[in-house]
Amino acid sequence: MAQNIYDTPAFFEGYQQLPRSVLGLDGAPEWPALRALVPRLQGLRVVDLGCGLGWFCRWARAQGASSVLGLDVSQRMLEKAATLGVDSGIVYERADLEALALSPQSIDFAYSSLAFHYIEDLAALLGTVHRALMPGGRLVFSIEHPIFMAPRTPGWHVDAQGRKSWPLDSYQMEGPRITNWLAEGVVKQHRTLGTLLNTLVQTGFSIAHVQEWGPTDEQVAAVPSLAEERERPMMLLVSANR
C-alpha cells in the first residue's frame, strides 16, 4: 500500500496551510502551464488520481465534465474535500493507487497533480489508467522532476556571493528517497527522466508534451521568491494520449 503520510495529523495540518491548499488551483504556480495541457472537458468522464482536497475535481465540473471521480489514499483529504462543495457529479473514493482497479474504457480524461512520485509500481498504475481510458483519451500529470528528487540530501547550496545552486547526486540510482517535508520520513520514488518517459511508452501511451516547468517572467515579477525555481526544474508536466 502507498504510504499514507497525508493522514498524519502534523502533515495534514501543515499541508492545509500551503498556498495551493488555501487558494486552490490558483495557489499553485504551475497551474497555468498544467491547465494549458487539459483538453476541453465538456461532457467528459474524468478521474483525478490523488485528488487531495478536490480542487481539480470541482474545476473540471465547472468546465462541463459529465462526471468526476476523485481518488485519494487519505481519508482526511477526502473528508475535507467533501465539505468544500456538494456536487452530485463528483464522487470521492478512498483508493490506493498502488493497487488501483478501474473498469476498461470507463473514462475519457485522467489527471494527476504531484502524486505519481509516491508510487513504487508506476508501470502498473499507468497500465491501469491506459486500459481505463477510451481510445483517444488523454492523461495529464505533474510530478516532481527527477533532478529535484534525486539528491540524497536535497537542498540549496548558497555560495559566498549569495548565489543558489542545487547539488545533484545519485541521479542514476533509482529508488526511494526519504525526506522530511511537513513530517518526518516522507518516502518518494526517484526515477530518471528516461525511465519515466519510457514507462509511459511501454504501457501504450503516446507522449504529446513534456515541460520542465519554471515560472514565467510575469510570475517572477509578481512573486519574486519564484525566481529560485529557475535554477533547477522542480516539476515535470506531461501530456500523453491513449
Side-chain angles (χ1 to χ4, degrees):
M1 181 176 181
Q3 183 187 39
N4 186 11
I5 195 71
Y6 285 82
D7 274 348
T8 303
F11 191 101
F12 181 71
E13 292 304 318
Y15 189 83
Q16 288 197 96
Q17 308 309 312
L18 297 177
R20 65 182 63 234
S21 295
V22 176
L23 302 174
L25 299 176
D26 290 334
E30 77 279 8
W31 169 240
L34 198 55
R35 181 182 60 208
L37 302 179
V38 177
R40 184 173 179 269
L41 297 181
Q42 185 69 40
L44 299 191
R45 298 164 296 172
V46 175
V47 64
D48 185 351
L49 305 160
C51 66
L53 298 177
W55 291 106
F56 181 81
C57 296
R58 293 184 291 277
W59 181 84
R61 277 286 287 168
Q63 302 305 305
S66 63
S67 64
V68 183
L69 175 61
L71 303 175
D72 205 283
V73 73
S74 168
Q75 187 64 36
R76 287 176 181 264
M77 288 287 189
L78 295 173
E79 289 174 357
K80 180 69 174 180
T83 70
L84 295 176
V86 177
D87 185 333
S88 61
I90 301 175
V91 174
Y92 295 112
E93 290 184 4
R94 191 176 188 190
D96 178 8
L97 298 186
E98 292 279 14
L100 183 63
L102 293 170
S103 298
Q105 299 189 16
S106 61
I107 57 175
D108 303 297
F109 176 68
Y111 175 87
S112 182
S113 173
L114 299 177
F116 284 178
H117 49 257
Y118 294 114
I119 305 302
E120 184 174 1
D121 193 350
L122 185 58
L125 174 59
L126 291 175
T128 296
V129 174
H130 186 271
R131 290 187 294 273
L133 282 168
M134 290 291 292
R138 185 180 305 175
L139 165 66
V140 169
F141 67 91
S142 63
I143 190 171
E144 286 190 0
H145 196 288
I147 286 177
F148 177 78
M149 203 183 337
R152 294 292 182 177
T153 307
W156 291 107
H157 172 76
V158 182
D159 66 17
Q161 287 74 44
R163 293 173 299 197
K164 288 184 173 182
S165 60
W166 187 262
L168 178 62
D169 65 88
S170 308
Y171 184 81
Q172 296 288 353
M173 298 169 62
E174 297 183 324
R177 297 292 190 271
I178 300 175
T179 60
N180 299 323
W181 178 65
L182 301 179
E184 299 288 320
V186 179
V187 181
K188 301 173 183 179
Q189 301 294 330
H190 165 63
R191 298 172 180 86
T192 67
L193 183 60
T195 292
L196 175 64
L197 299 182
N198 286 329
T199 301
L200 279 165
V201 172
Q202 290 160 6
T203 50
F205 284 100
S206 173
I207 297 171
H209 184 85
V210 176
Q211 181 175 350
E212 297 174 292
W213 180 82
T216 64
D217 291 342
E218 292 75 16
Q219 286 180 308
V220 172
V223 185
S225 61
L226 284 175
E228 70 178 20
E229 299 303 333
R230 290 177 159 177
E231 301 298 329
R232 54 91 181 94
M234 181 183 181
M235 283 174 274
L236 189 72
L237 314 183
V238 179
S239 172
N241 296 323
R242 159 74 155 84

